């Protein structure tokens, strides 16, 4: 080969190596793929991301023989140019079609550059009769016509005619699927099953584009299998590989419908093609141990020839030595995994065990340790550090309740269920803080926690070198570890936080959520499912999750939209960053079983039994039908026109979101029980003393205030203080008694309305106090 063709071979190998950077994580580590491409790029498209990885692997294998022998396989060499051109056009098209994250936006440039380079090198390196020209194209078309006609010639062995016809049939099916995937991805996903999301359409379209490439590669070998026997056998191997892939995916995700039978269709086709090719080719070209050995020896000799030069051999040895050192360091620092601990005590598992979030939902542990030092002025109280955001620490613990330390690559922390579902209270300002597992985290400012991370990552002080210097003050990092943190871990974390910042930018167009509250379904709707931002406000009070077994089968969430505990739990995990591939089912089951039987905490004070007895009679008459276990209306929904509370949360959960939930069927993530309602659910009220503030949006500070007419309820009050009010039942919420960081909740702001739920307001004050006394016992 001349110099141009040698460079064509080298660039092909480089291109294949680049492709492997997509292929391997797409097939085996979709979490890593999502972290590389940007959060939100592949939720619930894992099957199609993996299939794109498989198809790209197959296309890469088709590139290699032509790279080794572009003169003998010049048709395939030119097809590799066409393939790269098709890929570049596809990604350029997708850039205009979807709002792609940063890395994907450049895919068209990479493929376009390879296309142009391959084109130039082949045009310069191939002989005149194999270059692109009008005359050559005419001869190629004539030759192809003659070759296609051979398929119908009686002199052509019947087995080879069968091979060609089967290949053409498969190509037609592939092209039909590709056209549907590219031009009508919604219909494709609807036909073959999948989440109806823009990112799923992107990866389905990518699979369609790669199917077009592979179909083009199959055609020359179908009509000239003797000449292109390497490609004919690659085509057969590809069908067997496809069968194995779909069998793997069927067991991995429990695929159903037509997709669940792809493996069998591909396997039957592969066997038929194998038999036809084995019977039709001359004996020397058939599959055999000797033939395969010869191919391997040939390729081994080719590699050996490339290394005959002492310089090349020396460079290889140097690369192996340096590469080995770097590979060990990279593995130890970035890739080595340790089993996630399972605690003997389920309560400890609830507080500190991992539930399995994706890579981009984690924060490097060493970065976590120094973040309050990097941006102290962005915290509510710099001296209090993470505690100023309402995170709860136990004595002797390095991490707050609600965070798990994992070693999946490098040490990292990720939130779990207890972050939002652990309450804290004190009976006096100077008393010790008590923890109530399963209670609403009313001190937590989750939104402020998010935006502290996002804003700090944007701050000029967030410099990898300076951060690593702070880390080395606390941790013993080797030189290589420090460099990997400086150039890989910290920049990746920064990029991930910047991407999340964009993904949650919709929060800035809503009123601040404040302490003890969050927007439950807009993150799923906008950030996870990428549905259009409808401007809705879904802010609600964080709920208690104790005593779940008694709630099995009830329609819960604030608006009664789901009656399946498993679905609700996995949906909550999904909203904070779990994917079907990342979630840890065994860990999740421990936590689920724990909250099924977790009792509510007992009232931290004395009960006036006489008043409580009178209160029980009032409760039985006024409240029990909607709020007592076994009541006729418990777990049902009261229409918004009747309950009269703030409608924003109800309106934020839309029919389109329900439809999208119902299309999710990947592994454990199957959300078929969601429904749209027209009101709020009647919930059992165990442990109600620890649930303040009250109503679905936390807009009423105490039970006493909830029993007052709307005009007498506080128009504004402080949330996030943990000193309990045993009289009115709630938490202290008015100055000057409050100390520390709190949030001023203004009930005149959209989503914060404190109207409605007028049940009991007509009672006398004495009756209200009796009722409250009884409610303390629940």
């Amino acid at each position: 080969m001349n110099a141009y063709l040698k460079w064509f071979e080298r660039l092909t190998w480089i291109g294949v190596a680049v492709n492997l950077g997509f292929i391997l994580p797409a097939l085996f580590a979709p979490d890593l793929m999502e972290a590389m491409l940007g959060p939100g790029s592949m939720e619930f498209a894992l099957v199609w991301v993996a299939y794109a990885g498989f198809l790209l692997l197959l296309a890469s294998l088709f590139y290699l023989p032509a790279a080794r022998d572009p003169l003998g396989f010049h048709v395939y060499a030119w097809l590799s140019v066409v393939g790269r051109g098709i890929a570049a056009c596809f990604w350029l098209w997708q850039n205009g079609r979807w709002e792609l994250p940063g890395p994907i936006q450049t895919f068209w440039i990479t493929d376009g550059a390879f296309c142009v380079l391959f084109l130039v090198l082949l045009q310069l390196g191939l002989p005149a009769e194999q270059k692109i020209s009008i005359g050559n194209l005419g001869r190629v078309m004539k030759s192809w016509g003659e070759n296609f006609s051979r398929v119908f010639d009686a002199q052509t062995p019947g087995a080879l005619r069968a091979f060609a016809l089967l290949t053409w049939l498969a190509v037609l099916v592939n092209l039909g699927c590709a056209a549907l995937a590219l031009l009508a991805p919604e219909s494709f996903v609807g036909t073959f099953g999948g989440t109806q999301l823009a990112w799923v359409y992107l990866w389905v379209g990518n699979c369609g584009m790669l199917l077009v490439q592979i179909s083009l590669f199959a055609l020359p070998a179908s009509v000239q299998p003797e000449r292109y026997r390497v490609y004919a056998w690659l085509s057969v191997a590809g069908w067997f590989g496809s069968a194995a892939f779909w069998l793997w995916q069927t067991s991995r995700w429990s695929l159903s419908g037509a997709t669940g039978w792809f493996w069998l269709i591909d396997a039957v086709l592969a066997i038929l093609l194998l038999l036809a090719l084995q019977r039709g080719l001359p004996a020397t070209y058939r599959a055999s141990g000797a033939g395969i050995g010869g191919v391997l020896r040939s390729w081994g000799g080719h590699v050996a020839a490339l290394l005959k030069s002492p310089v090349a051999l020396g460079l290889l040895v140097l690369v192996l030595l340096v590469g080995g050192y770097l590979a060990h360091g990279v593995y130890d620092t970035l890739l080595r995994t340790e089993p996630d601990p399972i605690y003997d005590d389920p309560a400890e598992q609830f507080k500190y065990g991992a539930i399995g979030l994706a890579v981009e939902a984690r924060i490097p542990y060493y970065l976590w340790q120094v973040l309050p030092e990097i941006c102290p002025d962005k915290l509510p109280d710099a001296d209090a550090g993470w505690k100023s955001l309402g995170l709860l620490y136990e004595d002797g613990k390095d991490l707050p309740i609600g965070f798990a330390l994992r070693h999946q690559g490098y040490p990292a922390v990720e939130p779990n269920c207890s972050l939002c579902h652990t309450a804290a209270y004190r009976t006096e300002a100077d008393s010790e803080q008590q923890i109530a597992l399963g209670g609403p985290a009313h001190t937590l400012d989750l939104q402020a926690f998010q935006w502290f991370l996002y804003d700090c990552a944007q701050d000029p002080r967030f410099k990898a070198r300076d951060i690593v210097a702070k880390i080395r003050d606390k941790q013993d990092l080797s030189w290589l570890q420090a460099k990997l943190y400086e150039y890989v871990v910290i920049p990746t974390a920064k990029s991930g936080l910047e991407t999340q910042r964009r993904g949650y930018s919709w929060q800035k167009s809503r009123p601040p959520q404040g302490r003890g509250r969050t927007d439950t379904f807009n993150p799923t709707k906008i950030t996870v499912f990428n549905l259009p931002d409808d401007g809705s406000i879904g802010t609600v009070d964080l709920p208690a999750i104790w005593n779940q077994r008694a709630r099995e089968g009830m329609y819960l969430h604030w608006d009664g939209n789901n009656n399946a505990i498993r679905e609700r739990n996995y949906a909550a995990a999904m909203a904070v960053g779990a994917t079907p591939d990342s979630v840890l089912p065994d860990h999740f089951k421990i936590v689920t079983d724990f909250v099924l039987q977790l009792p509510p905490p007992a009232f931290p004070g004395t009960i006036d039994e006489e008043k409580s007895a009178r209160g029980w009679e009032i409760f039985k008459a006024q409240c029990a039908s909607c709020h007592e276990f076994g009541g006729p209306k418990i777990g049902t929904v009261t229409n918004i026109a009747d309950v009269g509370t703030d409608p924003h949360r109800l309106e934020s959960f839309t029919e389109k979101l329900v439809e999208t939930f119902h299309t999710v069927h990947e592994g454990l993530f199957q959300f078929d029980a969601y429904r749209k309602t027209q009101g709020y659910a009647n919930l059992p009220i165990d442990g109600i003393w620890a649930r303040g503030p009250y109503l679905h949006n936390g807009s009423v500070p105490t039970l006493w205030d909830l029993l007052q007419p709307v005009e007498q309820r506080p128009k504004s009050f402080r949330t996030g203080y943990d000193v309990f009010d045993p009289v009115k039942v709630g938490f202290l919420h008015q100055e000057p008694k409050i100390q520390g960081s709190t949030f001023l909740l203004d009930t005149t702001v959209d989503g914060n309305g404190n109207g409605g739920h007028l049940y009991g307001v007509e009672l006398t004050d004495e009756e209200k106090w009796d009722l409250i006394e009884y409610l303390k016992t629940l």
Side-chain angles (χ1 to χ4, degrees):
M1 288 193 296
N2 57 41
Y4 297 115
L5 297 183
K6 287 181 179 178
W7 271 109
F8 173 75
E9 179 183 17
R10 293 167 187 152
L11 285 175
T12 299
W13 281 100
I14 291 172
V16 169
V18 171
N19 287 349
L20 287 174
F22 177 95
I23 293 166
L24 296 177
L27 285 170
F28 303 110
D31 279 359
L32 178 60
M33 173 62 70
E34 185 162 14
M36 290 164 53
L37 299 183
S41 63
M42 52 178 288
E43 284 94 342
F44 310 104
L46 299 180
V47 172
W48 301 106
V49 170
Y51 191 44
F54 168 76
L55 292 176
L56 185 58
L57 173 63
L58 190 55
S60 298
L61 292 177
F62 275 115
Y63 290 156
L64 294 178
R68 179 189 171 189
D69 185 11
L71 293 172
F73 296 127
H74 65 277
V75 170
Y76 279 94
W78 283 116
L79 281 176
S80 69
V81 176
V82 173
R84 289 291 190 176
I86 290 173
C89 291
F90 169 80
W91 289 114
L92 188 59
W93 174 34
Q94 299 306 302
N95 268 346
R97 196 177 190 188
W98 314 112
E99 294 182 8
L100 302 181
I104 304 179
Q105 290 180 13
T106 63
F107 281 9
W108 74 272
I109 298 175
T110 304
D111 284 319
F114 275 108
C115 175
V116 172
L117 287 171
F118 285 175
L119 173 64
V120 171
L121 291 171
L122 289 176
Q123 192 71 356
L124 293 174
L126 289 175
E129 64 273 14
Q130 295 179 354
K131 297 180 189 292
I132 292 179
S133 68
I134 299 298
N136 286 344
L137 287 176
R139 283 192 294 274
V140 168
M141 297 301 294
K142 181 180 179 181
S143 173
W144 275 54
E146 294 172 351
N147 290 326
F148 274 108
S149 66
R150 286 183 58 217
V151 175
F152 304 99
D153 192 332
Q155 295 181 353
T156 301
L160 293 186
R161 282 185 286 167
F163 176 79
L165 292 173
L166 284 169
T167 300
W168 294 354
L169 176 62
V171 165
L172 286 175
V173 172
N174 279 350
L175 292 178
C177 290
L180 191 64
L182 287 166
L183 303 176
E186 299 92 338
S187 298
F188 184 96
V189 171
T191 301
F192 295 109
T195 311
Q196 296 280 358
L197 296 177
W199 293 119
V200 180
Y201 305 152
L202 171 70
W203 295 114
V204 163
N206 188 32
C207 293
M209 177 269 293
L210 289 166
L211 279 175
V212 171
Q213 287 193 43
I214 291 168
S215 296
L216 292 178
F217 278 114
L219 290 177
S222 70
V223 294
Q224 289 185 288
E226 303 98 324
R227 178 177 179 183
Y228 298 122
R229 56 192 178 277
V230 172
Y231 283 96
W233 284 117
L234 274 177
S235 180
V236 174
W239 285 108
F240 275 110
S242 184
F245 170 84
W246 284 113
L247 187 59
W248 171 35
Q249 297 301 306
T250 299
S251 62
R252 190 181 190 191
W253 302 116
S254 301
L255 301 181
S256 59
T259 317
W261 294 101
F262 281 1
W263 70 272
L264 182 59
I265 296 170
D266 288 343
V268 170
L269 181 60
I271 292 171
L272 292 175
L273 288 171
L274 170 65
L275 294 174
L277 198 59
Q278 188 76 348
R279 291 192 61 183
L281 287 178
T284 53
Y285 297 157
R286 293 174 184 170
S288 65
I292 294 172
V295 170
L296 293 177
R297 285 192 298 275
S298 173
W299 278 86
H302 182 65
V303 172
L306 292 174
L307 298 177
K308 279 186 177 180
S309 165
V311 174
L313 187 59
L315 285 174
L316 177 63
V317 172
L318 179 63
V319 167
L320 290 176
L321 291 175
V322 175
Y325 169 74
L326 293 176
H328 178 269
V330 168
Y331 171 78
D332 191 57
T333 306
L334 303 180
L335 302 176
R336 181 171 59 87
T337 63
E338 296 178 3
D340 292 299
I342 294 180
Y343 296 87
D344 293 333
D345 183 357
E348 291 297 296
Q349 187 74 27
F350 177 71
K351 290 185 287 186
Y352 302 111
I355 59 174
L357 304 191
V359 172
E360 77 279 354
R362 307 173 200 156
I363 303 170
Y365 174 56
Y366 299 159
L367 176 61
W368 165 276
Q369 290 183 310
V370 300
L371 271 174
E373 302 173 24
I374 299 168
C375 303
D377 53 310
K378 296 185 182 299
L379 290 167
D381 182 348
D383 294 332
W386 291 118
K387 290 182 180 179
S388 68
L389 294 166
L391 301 183
L392 305 176
Y393 280 83
E394 292 183 301
D395 291 341
K397 297 290 187 179
D398 182 48
L399 288 176
I401 293 173
F403 285 90
L405 178 62
R406 307 185 69 188
H407 200 130
Q408 304 293 308
Y410 47 83
V413 297
E414 67 176 45
N416 62 25
C417 304
S418 63
L419 173 64
C420 295
H421 301 295
T422 300
Y425 66 94
R426 290 177 293 158
T427 54
E428 303 287 345
D430 57 353
S431 64
E432 185 177 353
Q433 188 179 67
Q434 305 293 316
I435 298 298
L437 297 182
H442 67 96
T443 64
L444 174 66
D445 195 332
L446 186 61
Q447 187 178 32
F449 170 72
Q450 287 179 263
W451 285 91
F452 167 74
L453 296 175
Y454 305 157
D455 292 342
C456 190
Q458 293 274 309
D459 194 277
R461 292 168 291 183
F462 196 98
K463 296 178 179 177
R465 180 172 296 182
D466 296 342
I467 292 172
V468 170
K470 289 183 179 292
I471 290 173
R472 297 190 83 173
D473 290 338
K474 301 176 184 292
Q475 303 291 339
D476 183 19
L477 298 183
S478 68
W479 175 86
L480 180 57
Q481 286 176 317
K483 292 303 178 185
L484 288 171
Y485 265 82
E486 182 177 347
Y487 293 106
V488 180
V489 177
I490 303 302
T492 299
K494 178 180 174 68
S495 176
L497 289 172
E498 289 173 345
T499 304
Q500 288 184 43
R501 178 191 181 97
R502 291 191 296 271
Y504 280 91
S505 61
W506 57 267
Q507 288 184 341
K508 292 300 185 180
S509 64
R510 273 73 165 179
Q513 295 165 12
R515 293 181 181 256
R517 304 199 308 166
T518 190
D519 190 317
T520 47
F521 283 104
N522 273 326
T524 301
K525 182 167 58 181
I526 302 171
T527 308
V528 178
F529 286 167
N530 305 115
L531 297 177
D533 183 357
D534 56 13
S536 62
I537 299 169
T539 305
V540 294
D541 200 36
L542 291 169
I545 60 169
W546 49 57
N547 202 17
Q548 288 292 300
R549 191 175 302 282
R551 291 167 164 79
E552 287 186 306
M554 293 183 185
Y555 277 99
L556 300 178
H557 281 151
W558 290 113
D559 57 349
N561 62 27
N562 194 299
N563 67 343
I565 288 177
R566 182 197 63 80
E567 285 195 16
R568 295 200 304 270
N569 292 347
Y570 277 119
M574 175 186 69
V576 296
T579 70
D581 200 67
S582 71
V583 74
L584 302 171
D586 293 341
H587 293 223
F588 217 84
K589 185 178 186 305
I590 295 171
V591 172
T592 300
D593 290 346
F594 175 72
V595 298
L596 281 174
Q597 53 76 41
L598 176 67
F603 181 76
T606 59
I607 304 291
D608 185 319
E609 297 297 339
E610 185 176 337
K611 291 177 64 176
S612 176
R614 294 196 301 268
W616 155 238
E617 295 298 330
I618 299 169
F619 179 83
K620 185 166 54 174
Q622 298 271 347
C623 315
S625 64
C626 290
H627 294 301
E628 183 183 38
F629 286 106
K633 296 182 181 178
I634 199 75
T636 63
V637 171
T638 297
N639 192 280
I640 187 65
D642 296 325
V643 71
T645 48
D646 190 293
H648 285 84
R649 161 62 183 80
L650 176 64
E651 294 167 355
S652 74
F653 190 83
T654 62
E655 288 283 3
K656 180 60 178 176
L657 181 56
V658 172
E659 293 172 9
T660 305
F661 264 124
H662 288 178
T663 67
V664 177
H665 290 94
E666 291 193 31
L668 295 169
F669 283 24
Q670 300 188 33
F671 305 114
D672 297 323
Y674 277 99
R675 65 174 188 170
K676 172 64 181 167
T677 70
Q678 301 303 321
Y680 290 113
N682 302 312
L683 306 178
I685 53 174
D686 50 348
I688 192 172
W689 69 267
R691 292 179 178 231
Y694 299 96
L695 292 185
H696 75 272
N697 57 357
S699 59
V700 179
T702 69
L703 289 178
W704 172 257
D705 294 312
L706 185 61
L707 291 171
Q708 308 308 309
V710 175
E711 60 272 12
Q712 294 180 27
R713 296 172 181 175
K715 295 296 184 292
S716 65
F717 58 94
R718 290 280 170 182
T719 65
Y721 194 44
D722 65 350
V723 175
F724 180 64
D725 180 349
V727 179
K728 292 185 175 181
V729 183
F731 293 91
L732 297 182
H733 57 277
Q734 300 289 2
E735 305 285 5
K737 296 181 179 180
I738 290 182
Q739 303 171 8
S741 302
T742 57
F743 173 76
L744 180 63
L745 192 148
D746 182 352
T747 63
T748 66
V749 171
D750 287 346
N752 294 353
N754 65 351
H757 199 281
L758 301 179
Y759 314 107
V761 300
E762 76 288 347
L763 297 172
T764 67
D765 283 359
E766 182 179 3
E767 289 172 326
K768 291 176 181 178
W769 288 123
D770 289 345
L771 177 58
I772 289 173
E773 197 69 15
Y774 172 71
L775 293 176
K776 295 176 183 178
T777 70
L778 296 178

